[in-house]
Amino acid sequence: MTLILSFIIGFLASVAAYILHSITHEIRHLLTANFSEDSFNWLYLLFPVIGIYLTSLFIKYVVRDNISHGITRVLYAMSTKRARLKAHNCWSSVIASGITIGFGGSVGAEAPIVLTGSAIGSTLGQLCKLDNKTLMLLVGCGASAAIAGIFKTPIAGLVFTLEILMVDLNMASLLPILISCVTATLFSYVFVGTESLFDFTLNNPWEMNRTPACILLGICCGFVGLYFMRAMSSCEGMFAKMSNRPYLKLACGGLLLSSLIFFFPSLYGEGYSDINIFLSGNTAADWGTIMNGSLFAGHSNLLLLYVGIVCFTKVFATSATNGSGGCGGTFAPSLFIGGFFGFFFSHLWNTEQFGVYIPEKNFTLMGMAGVMTAVMHAPLTGIFLIAELTGGYQLFIPLMIVCISAYLTTNIFETHSIYALRLAREGKLLTHHTDQAALTLMSMHSVIEKDYSYVGPDLPMGKLVNAISRSHTNFLPVLDQDKTLLGIIDVAQLRHIIFRTELYQKFTVRQLMMEPAATLHEHEAMTDVMKQFDATDAQQLPVVDNDEKLIGYISRMRMYSMYRKIITDLSAE
């Protein structure tokens, strides 16, 4: 059953990749086929904004769900051992990202396709009512088939799933993933032919005396990858602050994106065609065609300046695309920046004659592998993807040197990949630390108890005693008419006066209530909740919203009971 499903997943993932590329290509061809190559084109200022707006409308009114950060979503589904993705992810990301990229959105199709392939695996597994372990495997099959299908790289698809999604490698998982990868690759050949995505012919085999340049390129790629992650994180934070003002997001992001594309058309879409110029060209005149359609057109002396600026601004174009409502991934942008930086590094090296000659096209490839490795913390994926994409297996040694150097460099400053970094920032990253993993798997809403009794501040003590007798807890919140939390009644603190009937009319709840030991908010991480209980030694703590209105309370007993259950489940696995 699993092997049959893995074959079906591979086929459907290749179909999804073909559909997405077709949508993207047709839209771009329709919009830009008649653009001038000798000067700037004003419509670059308009098309990206239209694409983002159409995408945001599609997501808001048709999908009605957040479909951004596809690989991050798959990683979380895999790491939580649940692997359940929504059925609409089988098609929604294909359409949304196709519109975004076709109209010029500076993002990649890989993350949406990975989410699509994974959702296909998850949906088929749920329809067949398979257990969680098999469901996880099918999600891994879908993710690997997506990479294999879109790039025609079966080994890179397998390695991607092992490195990024952390599927355990054994014979039971290896065979289904390989079947999915090979199936997706073969059907991609059927759909689009045998040509590689990148046009590369090795004219200058690697030589030993280029090793110092390879090491230096790897170190520089590590810093470029770190810049990419940090800049993306900062830009995402800025756009997140405008989450309640969609038109402001569209205006800011659309204006930034369209302006960058107007000055630097290489930022339009994925940009793979421009990388092919570096890989197939041999002279400054060949490489200078990359500036066609821009204000730099015809000025071959400004090639390095143009390439450097594009390399620097790509991260802002990508952030603006996703932040303002578009849909796409960071896989292609990391390859794009890597290719541009690899060319920039090698061309500058040769122009200034820092050492032995280093081939620009070879270093363009190695730059792609290096920056992708730094961003994703996946050196094997970088090595095999570039080698399979280009047939450049003779570059294995320099690819390994660059990827290892890049990984070691970026790992000094950032221990998470760009996908894991997002989860870590949200407190959703699972690690091999059992205690931390258990707290991450627990959610605030799963432990909040909303069935509670409450009293008003002006209630006499006599009626308070009646309320206590009807309550099933020692915790009684004191609320005003707007349900705002004023304090709590702790029954344990009233034992010395609760049976003195002569005091029933002398005291009110306002005089007897006390401040809670701590107040929790509905979006707090469970690690912080646990710390509050440890610090206060309270049995119950109230949970309020941003307006201090009571949502419910968390019982220490209930929380620790759930915590012990999750620890037991994790230990059993």
Side-chain angles (χ1 to χ4, degrees):
M1 170 66 83
T2 303
L3 299 183
I4 295 173
L5 288 177
S6 64
F7 174 83
I8 296 172
I9 291 167
F11 168 71
L12 293 177
S14 65
V15 171
Y18 173 70
I19 292 173
L20 176 53
H21 273 241
S22 298
I23 293 173
T24 302
H25 174 76
E26 291 301 324
I27 293 176
R28 177 166 185 170
H29 179 74
L30 180 66
L31 297 178
T32 64
N34 297 319
F35 275 14
S36 170
E37 293 186 352
D38 300 324
S39 63
F40 56 86
N41 297 279
W42 288 106
L43 288 176
Y44 276 135
L45 293 170
L46 184 62
F47 288 156
V49 180
I50 295 175
I52 292 172
Y53 182 62
L54 291 176
T55 302
S56 61
L57 290 179
F58 172 75
I59 293 173
K60 182 177 180 180
Y61 294 107
V62 179
V63 181
R64 299 181 182 180
D65 190 18
N66 186 358
I67 56 175
S68 62
H69 302 319
I71 296 178
T72 301
R73 292 179 178 277
V74 177
L75 177 60
Y76 183 61
M78 296 286 288
S79 63
T80 55
K81 313 292 184 184
R82 293 182 177 88
R84 281 172 167 75
L85 294 165
K86 295 181 179 178
H88 71 72
N89 290 130
C90 295
W91 55 268
S92 56
S93 295
V94 171
I95 297 174
S97 58
I99 296 171
T100 299
I101 300 170
F103 275 85
S106 197
V107 288
E110 292 74 22
I113 284 296
V114 168
L115 178 58
T116 299
S118 301
I120 290 171
S122 178
T123 302
L124 286 177
Q126 291 178 66
L127 288 175
C128 295
K129 300 185 178 182
L130 301 177
D131 58 86
N132 281 356
K133 187 175 180 180
T134 308
L135 202 59
M136 267 183 48
L137 176 58
L138 294 182
V139 170
C141 288
S144 57
I147 294 296
I150 206 166
F151 288 119
K152 302 177 189 172
T153 54
I155 298 176
L158 169 67
V159 175
F160 171 85
T161 301
L162 301 180
E163 276 194 307
I164 304 295
L165 302 184
M166 300 178 292
V167 173
D168 294 329
L169 179 60
N170 51 54
M171 287 307 298
S173 62
L174 181 61
L175 189 57
I177 293 176
L178 275 176
I179 289 174
S180 292
C181 290
V182 173
T183 302
T185 303
L186 291 177
F187 277 103
S188 292
Y189 283 141
V190 172
F191 296 143
V192 297
T194 58
E195 295 81 8
S196 174
L197 192 60
F198 295 107
D199 181 19
F200 174 77
T201 302
L202 183 64
N203 299 323
N204 291 278
W206 181 69
E207 297 176 4
M208 188 68 181
N209 57 2
R210 294 172 184 160
T211 300
C214 291
I215 294 174
L216 182 58
L217 174 66
I219 294 171
C220 292
C221 284
F223 284 110
V224 171
L226 184 66
Y227 157 73
F228 182 84
M229 287 192 287
R230 296 283 171 85
M232 279 289 293
S233 180
S234 298
C235 292
E236 286 178 357
M238 293 174 60
F239 280 106
K241 293 178 181 178
M242 296 184 279
S243 57
N244 295 325
R245 306 174 71 180
Y247 287 103
L248 178 62
K249 283 202 307 181
L250 176 63
C252 293
L255 179 62
L256 175 60
L257 175 63
S258 59
S259 300
L260 288 173
I261 292 177
F262 175 74
F263 289 108
F264 311 104
S266 298
L267 297 173
Y268 191 106
E270 294 171 308
Y272 289 157
S273 59
D274 288 342
I275 292 178
N276 272 326
I277 292 175
F278 293 144
L279 296 178
S280 59
N282 294 299
T283 65
D286 295 334
W287 299 321
T289 58
I290 202 170
M291 299 184 288
N292 288 348
S294 74
L295 298 175
F296 293 77
H299 299 281
S300 57
N301 59 312
L302 299 178
L303 176 62
L304 266 181
L305 176 63
Y306 179 88
V307 172
I309 294 176
V310 168
C311 186
F312 176 77
T313 55
K314 176 67 174 181
V315 63
F316 300 106
T318 300
S319 301
T321 303
N322 283 332
S324 56
C327 178
T330 55
F331 197 119
S334 68
L335 288 175
F336 179 91
I337 290 177
F340 268 63
F341 180 75
F343 177 85
F344 179 88
F345 177 93
S346 56
H347 195 57
L348 180 64
W349 178 287
N350 293 332
T351 302
E352 300 299 328
Q353 297 182 342
F354 289 127
V356 298
Y357 170 75
I358 54 177
E360 279 88 351
K361 62 169 61 177
N362 292 8
F363 273 68
T364 297
L365 282 182
M366 289 186 278
M368 293 167 67
V371 173
M372 195 190 78
T373 292
V375 170
M376 298 185 182
H377 283 44
L380 291 177
T381 302
I383 294 167
F384 281 104
L385 179 68
I386 300 305
E388 284 190 289
L389 267 174
T390 60
Y393 289 99
Q394 293 175 331
L395 293 178
F396 246 74
I397 297 298
L399 280 172
M400 286 191 281
I401 293 172
V402 171
C403 289
I404 291 170
S405 300
Y407 176 76
L408 293 177
T409 300
T410 193
N411 199 53
I412 295 173
F413 304 96
E414 183 56 67
T415 56
H416 299 306
S417 71
I418 191 169
Y419 308 121
L421 184 64
R422 291 179 180 132
L423 292 176
R425 195 166 62 237
E426 297 171 6
K428 295 179 180 178
L429 178 64
L430 268 76
T431 67
H432 295 293
H433 191 287
T434 304
D435 179 70
Q436 182 66 38
L439 291 174
T440 304
L441 286 171
M442 291 174 65
S443 67
M444 171 75 83
H445 292 288
S446 66
V447 293
I448 293 179
E449 298 187 45
K450 298 183 179 180
D451 182 18
Y452 60 85
S453 302
Y454 68 92
V455 294
D458 300 319
L459 192 71
M461 181 179 168
K463 293 186 177 180
L464 171 63
V465 172
N466 291 332
I468 291 173
S469 66
R470 293 193 301 269
S471 175
H472 58 277
T473 69
N474 290 334
F475 171 85
L476 273 177
V478 182
L479 310 179
D480 63 13
Q481 293 180 345
D482 296 325
K483 296 293 181 69
T484 301
L485 182 68
L486 303 176
I488 63 167
I489 292 293
D490 186 346
V491 176
Q493 301 296 322
L494 299 181
R495 294 190 187 282
H496 62 292
I497 63 170
I498 199 169
F499 297 112
R500 296 180 60 182
T501 56
E502 70 274 14
L503 302 177
Y504 282 9
Q505 300 303 318
K506 293 185 178 181
F507 292 100
T508 62
V509 168
R510 190 184 301 276
Q511 295 169 292
L512 300 173
M513 70 180 186
M514 56 191 297
E515 290 287 327
T519 302
L520 305 173
H521 289 82
E522 55 182 328
H523 298 300
E524 278 192 62
M526 289 307 299
T527 51
D528 296 330
V529 173
M530 189 72 81
K531 288 176 183 177
Q532 291 280 27
F533 273 100
D534 289 341
T536 61
D537 199 31
Q539 296 304 309
Q540 296 97 5
L541 288 176
V543 182
V544 298
D545 60 16
N546 294 332
D547 298 322
E548 298 300 316
K549 298 185 187 301
L550 185 68
I551 297 173
Y553 68 94
I554 294 179
S555 161
R556 174 191 287 266
M557 183 180 297
R558 177 184 173 88
M559 186 179 68
Y560 276 92
S561 175
M562 183 171 291
Y563 171 80
R564 285 192 295 271
K565 183 180 183 304
I566 293 176
I567 288 286
T568 302
D569 292 342
L570 287 174
S571 300
E573 292 173 358

